Amino acid sequence: MASQPRVRRRALACARCRVRKVHCDARSPSCTRCLDAGVHCVGMDSATKQAVPRSIAQYLETQIAEMERETSRQSLQGYGQHHDTSAEDSFTNPAVNKLMEDLTPSFLGLSATVPLARCVVAGTRLPSARKVFGAVNDIDEHHPRSIMNPQPTTTPLSSIPVHVADFLFDNYVTRVVPQHPIFYLPDLIRMQNTVFHGTEFAGQPKPSINPYEVFTLSLIMAISLSTAARTKQARANSIASGLFKNAMEQVPNVASNDLQGLQALLLLMQYAFLNPSVANLWLLTGFTSQACIDLGLHQELPYHRSVSTLERDMRRRIFWCAWEMEIAVCGALLRPITILQKYITTSFPSQVEDSAISTHGIDPNGKTTKFTSQYIWRFRQVESDIVPVLFHNEAVPSEFESLDSWMSYQEHKILDWKAEVHDAAAQGTDTGTRSQWNEMTLYAGIATAYILVTLFRPCPRIKEPSAENLIKAFAAAVEVATGYWQQANLDFGNSKYVFHPCHHTFSSAVVFLQALQRFKGEIAALYTLEQVESYMSAFSRLFATVAERWPAASRCLEEYERLLAPVKKDFVDFLVQKARRLSEQASTIDELVGPIGIDDATSLEDALNFGTLFNASGTA
């Protein structure tokens, strides 16, 4: 029988062929008909009926190549006029640019004049126990992120009412700044007054607004709105996304190789923790850590009159915020850490409010407002000790006799840290910081539970943990899910994130299922079926809640329930078989006891022969 002719799948026709209603072979970069006619072959936006590139990748590559040629041409002209090759002009020197082009991988999107890599502004991937194959076609009119479906426009700062902007700004200062004090507060207040109140100081003419102020305040408004919202989250996220796009238009002007540029990157990371679809957090934290090394922030500056108190404090707080963010991402993804603690000499910054800090010194009577940041940094120090040893073959510190003694030390260290947080919260008498302490105690419970999951889970160094350790991780995993669910349902204005709840809870869910699969008997002896089922649902509940803020998180729910189904069935079958065996043993005992008489304890013991019935080498 002759084989059937192969039918070629029709691709989306180009604009010219669609208008003429003729067959288009959709060849790239130009279809045959357009090639024969000698015209440009372009696509058509089905919504606007306007021409669009056939391939967005090819279009962007062409535009980037053209921009690079123009930059190179300008650099050559500048070099012909100015022969100064000092460090200040290194980014306009064509020789340095050529060297950078030779040393820098093109696929990273790096160039000598653009410190912020283009590739980091792409969505963070969700955790998954299996690989997802396939890619989005850039001319797929059915996909929401296709070029055939334009994205929402930006939200300019001028569209935000002043009273709303003031509220969002105050919320950021109250909730976010104590956790990530990357800015000097008087500088932020000056920006807010400049942009929203028309004057830097009363009585002076309105100053011009620079790109850095637009970038900073746009992201602050977006972060505050995303963090605070509890209801109408879709609307809040839409406005925040527009503000983010408004900020990103300023990136070429703010991504500089200095402390101010690093602050801009850290602010971008703050928003990405709330909306991980906008940037690759792992790449972004890598760039910030490299910037810290380039600027020497991981090393304490010698004390000299040329370094003011304010400058030293800002260098410290920017470094520890950047380092904490990298540990937060690498710890969640279990990836290597750029700067290990043993290479850090920078001290923690002051905890007092910024109004008590100036270039001349720090007022010791200033109010303590940044206590939460230092507790978080100390927690990350524990995490940064554990991940390299268990997952990346870092040596166990020499002061410990064995891996077990080191693990015991880390367990007690994180439990002591949690107790310290709770004690400090109980002793706090300032009503103005009560909400911060409430958030901190909840955070401490989640963080401690996650450290116990990381410490006692299967890992490259300990592939088969003991029953005792894995059951510790089993119980802690449930605490991670329930703690994050409580955090997601806090009152308006409290911190509500999505990256860490999603990744931490998914990792904990996998460990939970591993323990349930390996040690059914031990878990059945500790918990009832109803308890275990409620623990199972805790993970599903959290994923469903996070998906309300980050719709992509629904994939975690689907993946978890796919993994859960066979494990749950095996556990229930185990309990049924166990109950059947106990029933059969009870029937056997009744038959043996009947003719003997239960009052004669000695005869009963002899008749049952406990040593044979409950053989220690057998199974219960």
Side-chain angles (χ1 to χ4, degrees), residues 170-191:
D170 291 340
N171 183 70
Y172 179 86
V173 169
T174 303
R175 300 289 185 178
V176 182
V177 168
Q179 298 179 27
H180 297 119
I182 60 177
F183 291 101
Y184 184 51
L185 190 54
D187 290 341
L188 289 185
I189 295 174
R190 178 190 55 77
M191 291 186 197

Side-chain angles (χ1 to χ4, degrees), residues 2-55:
S3 60
Q4 295 291 332
R6 185 175 182 182
V7 179
R8 182 180 177 186
R9 185 175 181 180
R10 299 274 305 273
L12 196 63
C14 71
R16 185 169 179 269
C17 291
R18 290 184 68 179
V19 171
R20 300 176 64 203
K21 298 183 179 179
V22 296
H23 170 73
C24 180
D25 57 15
R27 292 182 180 275
S28 180
S30 177
C31 74
T32 303
R33 293 183 183 275
C34 290
L35 190 63
D36 293 341
V39 298
H40 290 293
C41 186
V42 296
M44 177 181 288
D45 188 335
S46 59
T48 63
K49 304 300 181 183
Q50 295 179 348
V52 296
R54 285 287 305 282
S55 169

Side-chain angles (χ1 to χ4, degrees), residues 192-423:
Q192 176 75 358
N193 290 334
T194 299
V195 174
F196 289 102
H197 295 278
T199 58
E200 185 174 3
F201 298 102
Q204 293 187 359
K206 181 179 179 179
S208 59
I209 302 173
N210 60 52
Y212 194 85
E213 292 170 340
V214 175
F215 176 90
T216 302
L217 287 176
S218 293
L219 283 183
I220 284 177
M221 299 294 115
I223 291 167
S224 183
L225 188 60
S226 301
T227 304
R230 184 177 179 183
T231 60
K232 299 182 180 179
Q233 293 173 355
R235 176 60 178 160
N237 290 340
S238 176
I239 298 174
S241 179
L243 288 164
F244 164 77
K245 291 182 175 67
N246 191 46
M248 293 308 294
E249 291 182 351
Q250 313 302 323
V251 164
N253 299 312
V254 302
S256 53
N257 293 311
D258 53 18
L259 284 179
Q260 194 175 57
L262 182 52
Q263 287 173 309
L265 287 183
L266 295 178
L267 190 63
L268 174 59
M269 285 172 57
Q270 283 184 347
Y271 179 71
F273 278 126
L274 298 164
N275 185 2
S277 62
V278 302
N280 188 312
L281 275 167
W282 181 64
L283 286 177
L284 197 52
T285 57
F287 280 105
T288 58
S289 292
Q290 188 59 52
C292 287
I293 295 173
D294 293 343
L295 296 170
L297 301 184
H298 63 301
Q299 299 289 313
E300 187 70 65
L301 287 178
Y303 282 89
H304 191 270
R305 61 177 179 272
S306 62
V307 181
S308 69
T309 301
L310 178 59
E311 180 184 357
R312 185 181 300 276
D313 192 74
M314 288 304 304
R315 288 176 60 91
R316 288 173 174 175
R317 66 169 81 173
I318 290 173
F319 167 74
W320 282 109
C321 285
W323 185 83
E324 185 272 329
M325 289 182 184
E326 195 212 11
I327 303 303
V329 174
C330 291
L333 302 178
L334 300 177
R335 293 184 177 181
I337 297 167
T338 303
I339 309 177
L340 298 178
Q341 281 195 76
K342 58 186 177 182
Y343 302 120
I344 299 172
T345 62
T346 302
S347 303
F348 281 166
S350 172
Q351 297 187 45
V352 302
E353 58 187 349
D354 281 358
S355 60
I357 303 175
S358 67
T359 56
H360 303 294
I362 299 176
D363 182 359
N365 298 319
K367 181 181 177 181
T368 300
T369 58
K370 308 190 198 86
F371 53 87
T372 55
S373 60
Q374 296 207 11
Y375 279 117
I376 293 173
W377 298 338
R378 287 174 52 197
F379 155 66
R380 297 299 181 196
Q381 287 179 324
V382 178
E383 188 174 18
S384 70
D385 281 341
I386 293 173
V387 172
V389 172
L390 295 183
F391 295 89
H392 304 295
N393 204 32
E394 184 79 11
V396 175
S398 58
E399 60 266 27
F400 297 97
E401 297 179 355
S402 64
L403 180 62
D404 288 341
S405 63
W406 173 83
M407 292 176 66
S408 177
Y409 170 80
Q410 297 296 344
E411 180 182 10
H412 286 91
K413 187 175 181 179
I414 193 63
L415 292 175
D416 290 344
W417 171 83
K418 178 183 177 182
E420 183 179 341
V421 171
H422 281 266
D423 289 344

Side-chain angles (χ1 to χ4, degrees), residues 67-79:
M67 292 174 63
E68 289 178 347
R69 283 194 295 270
E70 179 65 19
T71 302
S72 177
R73 183 183 64 80
Q74 294 177 357
S75 297
L76 288 172
Q77 291 177 350
Y79 185 66

